């Protein structure tokens, strides 16, 4: 363990955990002074090819309030066959099956390399995965066709025993019965009527087993009642053909759309029906509800905008002016659905493809709370959607789907720590435990969260609080421990439990501040702080959030910076914090906190992904990566700065959501002149090809697939690049003007330079 | 008319009355039989017309004094034999002339003479007539050619065709008689033929002859007093005038009836003689003095009067009465015998009537003989008679009848001197009237003359539209309306029109022409918005026209201008239907369309109940199977082109299943809507489709529906949401249309319009009974309103196994102009045919949608009330979501001012509708009737069938808000007032004890009785509430022909059949049925074949293929197809009956003494009904009493 860098990397690889601080201040007071809380990014299902799951169940601490899982940190008395819980210090006997345990014959969970271990629970019958398609039919013919093809394709990707269901909607909502032969049968619901779950189930004949049984008797047993739910959810292998045909015959919503009107789209009721159906038939079973929409809900509950085209869909401007009449009602409606769905362990994906907004702002909670995906595109007929959708069904090295359902994450901490909350695609299970802090950060007040849908990259930000009082110091060399217990339904239908136990040393902030400083993981910290900021942004005004972020940054700089009072030029930051201000600078400019130039839907979309991606991806989102390709040397990362934009360069920018290839002015001219076609300019052709290949590589792995932009100097799409780079040269900073060393950006935004200057000034200011 | 006017009446109008009197009155006594016999033998030919009358009267008059009576009898008997030939012509002749004369004014006389030439007497008569006419003529002739008709009586109207006198015959009854008469000999012959076919040879002659004559006479009789003026002109009237003087005596004679027999005796003879003295006398006496005179007298005076008076006087003058009766009987008998069954009865009666016989014994002798041969029948009849009479007997005295009448009839018998029995044959016979009308109608009915009553609905005739709507479209209760409200109120005759706007015309008549007035739309009066019609007067050289409805003057648009000829008519008058015809159509412009948008073609939606009961009864599979072929026959206007009507399908139990049958689909798609609380249509495109385009998908669907639900166990159904669904579908498609709902059970599933079982027999007869006819919930009323607004017509086919609350379920169909069909205990094998035929017809029939009907009238009257299947949101517009060719609307008019005799009363019915091809049209029917300041004119130009139609609808609507008893009483009361008013103001003064009926209304009592006895107003124990509600709504949209046969079923003896003509019907009474006979009864809803217990084997073999009565399978639903002429003909007849009615009638074979006979008996409407309805005779007595009460 040479450097913290390596340590962090190793921890991340093994446990999927990155802490903001890798040494923990030993008292509450010190911890507060560190500004950045003790927190971590935790990826519960991080793929670990080299750690096979064990086929037995975990051994739990017998204390009812603890129930921690036996782990390598526990003290074990091999002779007495007793182990001591490292969280509550309860001494527990090993279960009989551990009779043969000894120093040389230890179970996996006791080995240090198994700080993260996965158990396969054999209890209970395996429940099949459930996929419910909820499809908008108010689409253009082309879009619908593409969507139909995608859906048909997806059928072949599903496990044969998975149950599928289909709901289509437009002005009406149609729940298709898949069991029927001959005549295709579907139940239709009015698109503008809010139906309670019970009502839906009644209408579908799902409730009243008693009555049915009574009535059924007299007629004899000639015909066994088909499970009503089976009418709507059928194993793929049985209805494959049927469903393919059904999708094939899917028509556009036939209701006429008068001129000047939007089609009536009853997204709300469709979702309501889907949620109610699943709720009534498969509660607490892994299910994925996939909503495909081509426009905003315009009909019935959950409508986001009226059907008058002359009334545009709400913008940030409207929202700030409290001028979005449907916003609150719709949001409330979808939150209700999301909570119900989350309660039942069903996750909801939203695939929204339209040029205009589709109401993601209101609907985002559906995915955010249930761990579903949100994919936003311009059309279903784009590779962006097609490939992204295909990737939902991607498989891992074991040929299992990279998706898990119905996860429950429980956190246990040693006594010096308490859990403040989590930020990520989860909902609270409101489980009050001793280790729950009253100080809430993110989704708090609990030590258990539900993650209805999760994948290998799903990452939560976990926030802790050191509760150890200053006057009761932790003994030297003491370690704090945190255990994450994640129970989930694996895509192969078995239930699994993954247990991650980590420990960090306590350090006295007074005496060991340097150590603590060097244990600072500025990347993790940046992301964790960003999540806090984004989380706040959901409920607070944008400027407030920025101000809070700035204050945190300033305080951090004051805490760890070396400077002379009131002398900005003397300000220095250690290496472990050197990048942090820059992250914050870009974060301030990012669409996660800035709504300018973004529609509410886009903001929701960006935030949705931001709070669930792992650290690397999150960092890319905060500060896009810029590569440069030129004849001057091999491809190299360059500063995300306007000065990097040179005529003889090709730039490749990855913002996570967009992949932009930018051809400098000269390159663009060459390309236009067709040099790449000439044999003697083979090298130019290769130069042009290089970023494409790299981009392709990113495109292949990224979920969701980024928007791919190929542009050049002066091109309209160059704005994607220009809006991201640090505007070091603008039309109003004269010293750069006229120099040929880059491209001036026409913006009033401050550049990093200005930002840093201010930061330094404020940090060293004695007045704060 | 009936009863009392024995001779006296007759004498004055002798001719007319006789007809009536005879038939009607004759029944009273046994006398008939006697006459029959004789007639048969001798005068078969003649008897018809004259003899009866003569005899009839004679007897009555004579009756009092036994002596006289005998004489008369003798005469009669003789007369038939001897005189018939001679005299009848006489009488007949006169009548005709009457009819014809009016026309003939100028040359008419000559023509007549020719016709009548044979009988010299005739000439005389004609001469007289001529004179009369002349007098009358002047007024009528007026300026216009038509004038004559106007001025003169209706008959005159015929006058137009001055040249073709024959045509006139039609005019009124007299006319008809005339034809027969002219060739007296011929007539008889003809009649004989008729009758020959059927049964007893003797009868035929009588019937034929009698009816005509009788009617004529009758008519004349009726008018005489009041009409004297008219009368004389009319026809034989000529005679009357002279007779007029005598007439009074007649009446007197009647009076004498009760009291002074002597009068009678004297009266009759004198009367007759005097009546004819001038011309007829010689022949009369010789040939049949009675005929001419007596005939006349008879009708009027006839037996009937006898009884009533008897009743009154009975106590006092038992003997005389007896006599009277007897004589009348005998007299009538001849006449009646003429008709049909009575004959047989006659003999017995004779026997019974010792008293009568006594006097006439000698003379009767011969008569009796004839009866004796018939003896076979007599016994039965006797029995029958006895029964009927007994009540009658009671009748005269106490009139206990009344009570009977109301409901359960306590035996009136008490009073009952057998002698006084009212002979059923003596009272007005519907059959007689019908046959008379048929006989006199042999020329096309030309509508050009104002106020001319058309032939009866039972008569088949050709119509020529010359300015008024065909009676197939419009029939009025009165063709001569009272000028003032006072008169109308006094008479109590309802002023109403039964309008059947889209009636189907026979193939030989042109459907209304289509007129297109271009972009501006139809030309209308500026003020009242009446449409251009023949009544509009063009003035100022054609530049403007004056509306004849409101007198407003409107400019003629330039494009419509045309010069006038010297008579003030437009030159293009005959090129333009709207200027020359009574019925035509306008092409409506976009201004006449909903939302100012041309309508879409309509759509048909089939909504099929697929609950357990529906599937099990086989209904589902039958419907589905049938629809496959039926869809090729959707209504279309041009048979060459495919129908543009689109179709859609829905099935339902407690949820609804819609089907997407878009042509592009390989398989239909089912869309289940289980949220019935808030109905909506789940799809648009693909629900309503063109049959040809989607044929494969539709067939696949219809194949699969029965399979899909074969195992259903769902028993609950919804109903409200079903209609809502259809309505919403039409709304979504923005078109009008029709829903065909096939439903089985009470909708108890949780949904809007859910119903409870509320059938409670205990409420029947109480004040709460009316609530059972009201809809259970208000939901359906609102729904109906919405349906109408959208032009959504609902046809409901019910297949109930128990109470389904037709009163509530029927609300929507009734309000939307739809129909309800009910197949209780539906079983595929037995009811399939009926159902399918109904369905086929219902689907294919001509229908219009989204219709609005408005009736405009001359200033002075106003349409105030409407009856039928429709909805009204204001007081003037009748809104019909759907209007088909079978739906009639009865419109009642009230005065709001005076009418003028000059201009008459005009009405214009305009129906704006969307045709089945989606074209917006206006159908216009114009009708002009006369106005009168004399009540007599009103009574002379009424149509009883139409009045009954009005009464029934009025009463059936009344049960919604009043106890049924009150409704019945109201009806009786009004009827009594009508008749009392006539008696008081129009009939010649006579004893209060006489029952005198206007000629045109002499059937009013019998028909009214049928209405009162109907299941709706007087339910039997086995009649369910559903049945009553069903009938109630059914009647509400019936036209006159339908109500007629419904209330007075057609009962045909079918022992002998001839091709080309139907046997003459018999009256609906058990006593008319012969044990050895087979009868076919048609009620418009049912078809019965009654088989007597002792039918000849041969007949059974021919009919059923089995020689034994006991082997007849009474469950058969169709006659076996046997290869013999009889079977073929009977089946032909049955088929033709079915073709005439809008609903298919299932054939029920009723074996005498069998269980099913109970049902059959229910339709023998002249008998007492099991539910307590009075017999015809009883009711007549009751009515008489009511009238007398009013008069006193």
């Amino acid at each position: 363990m040479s450097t913290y860098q390596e340590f962090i990397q190793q921890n991340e690889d093994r446990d999927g955990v990155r802490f903001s601080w890798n040494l923990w201040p030993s008292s509450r007071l010190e911890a507060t002074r560190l500004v950045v809380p003790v927190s971590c990014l935790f990826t519960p299902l991080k793929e670990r090819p080299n750690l096979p799951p064990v086929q037995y169940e975990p051994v739990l601490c017998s204390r009812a309030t603890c129930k921690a899982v036996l782990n390598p940190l526990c003290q074990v008395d091999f002779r007495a066959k007793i182990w001591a819980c490292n969280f509550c210090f309860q001494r527990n006997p090993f279960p009989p099956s551990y009779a043969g345990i000894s120093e040389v014959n230890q179970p996996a969970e006791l080995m240090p390399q198994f700080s993260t271990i996965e158990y396969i629970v054999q209890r209970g019958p395996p429940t099949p995965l459930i996929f419910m398609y909820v499809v908008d039919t108010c689409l253009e013919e082309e879009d619908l066709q593409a969507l139909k093809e995608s859906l048909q394709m997806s059928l072949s990707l599903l496990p044969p025993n998975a149950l599928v269901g289909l709901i289509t909607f437009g002005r009406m909502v149609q729940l298709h019965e898949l069991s029927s032969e001959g005549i295709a049968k579907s139940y239709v619901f009015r698109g503008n009527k809010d139906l309670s779950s019970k009502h839906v189930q009644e209408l579908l004949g799902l409730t009243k087993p008693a009555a049915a049984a009574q009535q059924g008797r007299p007629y004899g047993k000639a015909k066994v009642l088909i499970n009503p739910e089976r009418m709507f959810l059928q194993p793929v292998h049985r209805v494959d053909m049927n469903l393919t045909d059904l999708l094939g015959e899917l028509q556009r919503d036939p209701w006429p759309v008068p001129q000047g009107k939007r089609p009536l789209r009853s997204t709300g009721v469709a979702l309501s029906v889907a949620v109610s159906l699943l709720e009534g038939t498969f509660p607490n079973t892994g299910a994925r509800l996939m909503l495909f929409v081509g426009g905003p809900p315009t009909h019935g509950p959950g409508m986001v905008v009226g059907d008058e085209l002359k009334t545009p869909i709400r913008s940030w401007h409207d929202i700030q002016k409290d001028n979005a009449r449907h916003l609150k009602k719709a949001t409330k409606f979808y939150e209700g659905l999301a909570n119900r769905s989350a309660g039942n362990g069903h996750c909801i994906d939203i695939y929204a493809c339209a040029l205009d907004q589709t109401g993601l702002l209101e609907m985002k909670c559906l995915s955010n709370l249930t761990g579903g995906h949100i994919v936003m595109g311009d059309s279903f007929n784009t590779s962006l959607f097609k490939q992204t959708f295909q990737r939902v069904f991607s498989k891992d090295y074991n040929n299992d789907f990279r998706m898990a359902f119905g996860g429950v994450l429980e956190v246990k901490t040693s006594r010096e720590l308490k859990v403040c909350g989590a930020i990520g695609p989860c909902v609270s299970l409101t489980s009050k435990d001793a280790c729950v802090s009253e100080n809430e950060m993110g989704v708090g007040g609990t030590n258990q969260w539900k993650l209805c849908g999760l994948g290998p990259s799903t990452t939560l930000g976990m926030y802790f609080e050191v509760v150890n009082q200053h006057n009761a110091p932790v003994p030297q060399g003491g370690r704090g421990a945190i255990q994450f217990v994640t129970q989930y339904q694996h895509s192969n239908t078995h239930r699994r439990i993954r247990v991650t136990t980590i420990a960090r040393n306590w350090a006295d902030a007074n005496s060991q501040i340097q150590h603590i400083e060097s244990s600072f993981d500025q990347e993790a910290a940046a992301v964790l702080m960003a999540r806090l900021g984004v989380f706040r942004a959901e409920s607070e005004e944008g400027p407030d959030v920025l101000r809070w972020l700035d204050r945190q940054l300033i305080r951090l700089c004051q805490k760890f910076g070396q400077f002379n009072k009131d002398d900005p030029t003397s300000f220095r930051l250690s290496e472990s914090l050197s990048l942090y201000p820059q992250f914050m600078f870009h974060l301030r400019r990012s669409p996660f906190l800035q709504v300018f130039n973004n529609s509410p839907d886009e903001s929701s979309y960006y935030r949705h992904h931001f709070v669930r991606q792992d650290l690397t991806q999150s960092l890319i989102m905060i500060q896009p990566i810029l590569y440069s390709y030129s004849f001057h040397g091999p491809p190299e990362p360059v500063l995300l700065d306007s000065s990097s934009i040179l005529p003889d360069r090709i730039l490749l920018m990855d913002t996570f959501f967009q992949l932009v290839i930018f051809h400098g002015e000269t390159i663009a001219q060459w390309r236009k002149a067709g040099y790449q076609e000439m044999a003697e300019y083979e090298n130019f052709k290769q130069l042009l090809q290089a970023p494409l290949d790299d981009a392709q590589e990113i495109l292949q792995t990224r979920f969701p697939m980024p928007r791919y932009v190929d542009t050049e100097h002066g091109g309209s799409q160059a704005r994607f690049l220009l809006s991201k780079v640090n505007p070091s040269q603008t039309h109003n900073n004269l010293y750069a003007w006229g120099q040929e060393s880059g491209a001036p950006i026409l913006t009033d935004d401050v550049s990093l330079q200005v930002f840093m200057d201010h930061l330094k000034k404020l940090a060293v200011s004695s007045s704060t | 008319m009936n009863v009392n006017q024995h001779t006296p009446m007759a004498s004055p109008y002798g001719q007319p009355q006789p007809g009536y009197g005879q038939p009607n009155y004759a029944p009273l006594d046994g006398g008939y039989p006697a006459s029959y016999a004789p007639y048969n033998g001798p005068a078969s030919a003649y008897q018809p017309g004259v003899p009866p009358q003569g005899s009839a009267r004679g007897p009555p008059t004579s009756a009092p004094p036994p002596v006289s009576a005998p004489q008369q009898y003798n005469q009669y008997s003789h007369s038939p034999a001897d005189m018939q030939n001679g005299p009848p012509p006489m009488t007949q002749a006169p009548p005709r002339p009457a009819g014809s004369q009016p026309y003939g004014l100028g040359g008419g006389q000559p023509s007549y003479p020719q016709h009548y030439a044979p009988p010299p007497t005739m000439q005389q008569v004609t001469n007289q007539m001529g004179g009369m006419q002349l007098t009358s003529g002047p007024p009528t002739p007026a300026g216009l050619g038509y004038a004559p008709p106007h001025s003169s009586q209706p008959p005159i109207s015929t006058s137009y065709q001055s040249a073709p006198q024959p045509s006139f015959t039609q005019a009124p009854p007299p006319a008809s008689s005339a034809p027969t008469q002219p060739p007296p000999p011929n007539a008889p012959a003809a009649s004989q033929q008729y009758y020959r076919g059927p049964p007893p040879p003797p009868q035929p002659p009588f019937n034929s002859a009698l009816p005509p004559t009788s009617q004529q006479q009758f008519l004349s009789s009726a008018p005489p007093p009041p009409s004297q003026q008219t009368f004389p002109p009319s026809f034989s009237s000529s005679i009357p005038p002279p007779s007029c003087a005598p007439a009074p005596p007649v009446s007197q004679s009647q009076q004498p009836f009760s009291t002074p027999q002597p009068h009678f005796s004297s009266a009759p003879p004198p009367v007759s003689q005097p009546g004819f003295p001038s011309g007829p006398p010689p022949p009369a006496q010789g040939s049949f003095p009675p005929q001419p005179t007596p005939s006349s007298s008879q009708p009027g005076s006839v037996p009937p009067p006898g009884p009533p008076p008897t009743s009154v006087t009975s106590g006092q003058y038992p003997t005389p009465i007896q006599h009277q009766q007897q004589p009348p009987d005998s007299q009538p008998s001849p006449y009646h015998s003429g008709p049909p069954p009575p004959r047989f009865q006659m003999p017995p009666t004779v026997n019974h009537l010792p008293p009568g016989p006594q006097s006439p014994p000698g003379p009767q002798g011969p008569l009796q003989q004839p009866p004796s041969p018939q003896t076979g029948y007599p016994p039965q009849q006797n029995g029958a008679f006895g029964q009927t009479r007994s009540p009658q007997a009671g009748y005269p005295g106490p009139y206990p009848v009344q009570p009977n009448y109301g409901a359960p009839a306590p035996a009136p018998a008490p009073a009952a001197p057998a002698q006084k029995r009212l002979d059923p044959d003596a009272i007005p016979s519907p059959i007689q009237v019908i046959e008379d009308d048929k006989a006199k109608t042999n020329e096309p009915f030309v509508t050009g003359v104002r106020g001319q009553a058309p032939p009866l609905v039972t008569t088949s005739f050709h119509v020529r539209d010359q300015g008024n709507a065909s009676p197939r479209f419009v029939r009025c209760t009165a063709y001569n309306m009272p000028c003032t409200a006072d008169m109308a109120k006094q008479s109590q005759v309802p002023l109403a029109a039964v309008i059947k706007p889209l009636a189907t015309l026979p193939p030989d008549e042109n459907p209304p022409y289509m007129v297109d007035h271009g972009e501006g739309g139809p030309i209308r009066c500026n003020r009242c918005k009446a449409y251009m019609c023949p009544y509009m007067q063009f003035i100022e050289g054609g530049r403007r026209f004056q509306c004849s409805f409101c007198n407003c003057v409107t400019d003629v648009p330039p494009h419509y201008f045309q010069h006038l000829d010297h008579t003030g008519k437009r030159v293009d008058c005959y090129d333009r239907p709207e200027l020359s015809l009574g019925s035509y159509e306008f092409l409506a412009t976009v201004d006449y369309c909903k939302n100012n948008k041309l309508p879409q073609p309509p759509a048909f939606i089939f909504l099929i109940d697929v609950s357990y009961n529906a599937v099990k009864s086989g209904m589902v599979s039958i419907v589905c199977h049938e629809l496959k072929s039926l869809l090729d026959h959707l209504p279309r206007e041009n048979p060459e082109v495919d129908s543009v009507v689109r179709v859609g399908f829905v099935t339902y139990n407690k949820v609804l299943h819609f089907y997407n049958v878009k042509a592009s689909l390989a398989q239909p798609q089912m869309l289940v809507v289980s949220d019935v609380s808030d109905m909506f249509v789940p799809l648009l495109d693909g629900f309503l489709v063109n049959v040809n385009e989607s044929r494969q998908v539709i067939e696949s669907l219809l194949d699969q529906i029965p399979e899909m639900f074969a195992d259903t166990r769902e028993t609950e159904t919804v109903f409200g949401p079903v209609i809502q669904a259809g309505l919403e579908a039409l709304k979504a498609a923005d078109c009008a249309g029709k829903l065909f709902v096939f439903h089985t059970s009470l909708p108890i599933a949780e949904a809007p319009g859910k119903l409870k079982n509320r059938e409670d027999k205990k409420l029947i007869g109480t004040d709460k009974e009316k609530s059972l006819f009201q809809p259970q919930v208000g939901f359906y009323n609102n729904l109906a309103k919405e349906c109408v607004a959208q032009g959504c017509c609902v046809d409901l086919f019910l297949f109930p196994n128990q109470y389904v609350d037709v009163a509530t379920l029927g609300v929507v169909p009734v309000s939307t102009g739809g129909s309800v069909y009910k197949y209780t205990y539906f079983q595929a094998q037995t009811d399939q045919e009926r159902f399918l035929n109904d369905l086929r017809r219902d689907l294919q029939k001509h229908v219009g949608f989204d219709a609005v009907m408005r009736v405009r009238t001359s200033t002075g009257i106003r349409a105030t009330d409407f009856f039928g299947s429709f909805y009204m949101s204001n007081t003037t517009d009748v809104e019909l979501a759907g209007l088909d060719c079978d739906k009639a609307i009865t419109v009642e008019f009230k005065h709001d001012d005076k009418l003028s005799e000059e201009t008459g009363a005009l009405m214009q019915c305009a129906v704006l509708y969307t045709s089945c091809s989606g074209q917006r049209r206006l159908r216009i029917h114009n009708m002009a009737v006369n106005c009168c300041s004399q009540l007599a004119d009103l009574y002379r130009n009424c149509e009883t069938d139409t009045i009954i139609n009005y009464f029934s609808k009025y009463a059936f609507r009344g049960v919604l808000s009043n106890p049924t008893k009150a409704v019945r009483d109201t009806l009786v009361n009004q009827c009594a007032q009508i008749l009392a008013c006539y008696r008081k103001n129009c009939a010649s003064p006579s004893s209060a004890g006489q029952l005198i009926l206007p000629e045109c209304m002499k059937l009013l009592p019998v028909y009214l009785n049928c209405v009162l006895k109907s299941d709706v107003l007087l339910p039997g124990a086995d009649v369910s509430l559903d049945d009553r509600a069903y009938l109630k709504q059914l009647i509400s949209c019936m036209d006159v022909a339908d109500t007629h046969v419904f209330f007075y079923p057609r009962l045909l003896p079918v022992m002998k059949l001839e091709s080309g003509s139907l046997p003459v019907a018999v009256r609906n009474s058990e006593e008319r049925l012969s044990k050895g006979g087979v009868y076919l009864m048609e009620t418009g809803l049912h078809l019965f074949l009654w088989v007597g217990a002792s039918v000849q084997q041969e007949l059974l073999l021919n009919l059923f293929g089995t020689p034994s009565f006991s082997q007849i399978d009474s469950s058969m639903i169709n006659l076996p197809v046997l290869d013999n002429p009889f079977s073929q003909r009977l089946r032909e007849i049955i088929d033709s009956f079915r073709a005439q009615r809008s609903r298919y009638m299932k054939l029920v074979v009723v074996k005498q003494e069998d269980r099913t006979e109970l049902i059959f008996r229910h339709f023998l409407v002249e008998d007492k009904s099991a539910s307590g309805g009075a017999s015809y005779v009883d009711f007549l007595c009751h009515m008489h009493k009511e009238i007398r009460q009013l008069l006193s």
Side-chain angles (χ1 to χ4, degrees), chain A residues 172 174 182-190 193 195 199 203-204 208 216 219 223 225 249 251 254-256, chain B residues 660 662 665-672 674-675 677-685 701 704 708 713:
Chain A
M172 307 285 170
Q174 269 176 274
I183 288 188
K185 199 170 163 187
S186 61
Y187 281 66
V188 187
F189 299 85
R190 206 182 177 112
K193 188 174 178 186
L195 299 164
H199 194 181
L203 294 181
L204 296 179
K208 71 160 185 183
Y219 297 95
K223 195 162 186 189
L225 254 187
E249 289 199 339
Q251 309 170 39
W255 297 89
Chain B
N660 184 347
K662 199 174 175 178
L665 295 175
Q667 277 283 322
Q669 292 177 349
M670 178 204 263
L671 301 168
V672 184
S674 44
D675 185 7
S677 62
D678 190 10
M679 204 56 213
F680 61 94
V681 178
L683 77 170
L684 179 63
D685 190 20
L701 170 67
Q704 291 187 56
M708 268 191 294
R713 275 179 284 170

Side-chain angles (χ1 to χ4, degrees), chain B residues 508-578:
Chain B
D508 57 345
E509 292 178 21
N510 281 330
Y513 289 100
M514 172 73 73
V515 181
D516 186 354
H517 277 179
E519 288 177 4
I523 292 166
R524 313 170 65 172
C525 166
N526 265 349
R527 185 196 292 161
C528 68
K529 301 294 177 196
Y531 295 87
M532 179 54 62
C533 67
Y535 312 138
M536 299 292 186
Q537 291 288 334
F538 285 87
I539 54 177
E540 295 180 22
R543 284 193 297 272
R544 310 172 81 185
F545 68 90
Q546 180 167 31
C547 171
S548 43
F549 295 92
C550 70
N551 295 326
C552 172
V553 175
T554 306
D555 289 338
V556 174
H559 70 268
Y560 195 66
F561 175 80
Q562 185 58 263
H563 293 286
L564 307 184
D565 65 10
H566 61 286
T567 62
K569 263 189 185 160
R570 277 172 65 119
V571 175
D572 63 351
C573 171
Y574 293 103
D575 299 334
R576 290 189 177 269
E578 75 273 24

Side-chain angles (χ1 to χ4, degrees), chain B residues 615-661:
Chain B
V615 173
K616 195 169 158 242
S617 70
M619 182 272 278
V620 175
S621 51
I622 290 173
V623 171
C624 291
H625 185 261
E626 182 64 18
L627 281 183
K628 275 195 278 185
S629 52
L630 216 45
L631 291 178
D632 290 331
H633 299 98
L634 295 172
R636 67 198 76 183
E637 284 174 279
N638 180 353
E640 308 297 316
V641 184
D642 285 333
S643 177
V644 294
V645 173
R646 289 172 295 167
V647 296
F649 303 88
V650 173
T651 59
Y652 66 93
N653 37 50
K654 52 189 282 199
V655 301
L656 276 78
H657 318 110
F658 293 78
Y659 295 93
N660 184 347
V661 283

Side-chain angles (χ1 to χ4, degrees), chain A residues 636-663:
Chain A
E636 53 175 3
V638 293
L639 284 177
L640 184 62
D641 192 295
S642 57
S643 61
S644 303
I645 303 174
L646 297 175
D648 57 349
R649 275 182 176 174
I650 300 175
L651 295 174
L652 170 64
M653 182 179 73
D654 177 11
T655 72
F656 184 85
F657 299 105
Q658 293 108 16
L659 206 53
V660 183
I661 296 179
F662 175 88
H663 297 89

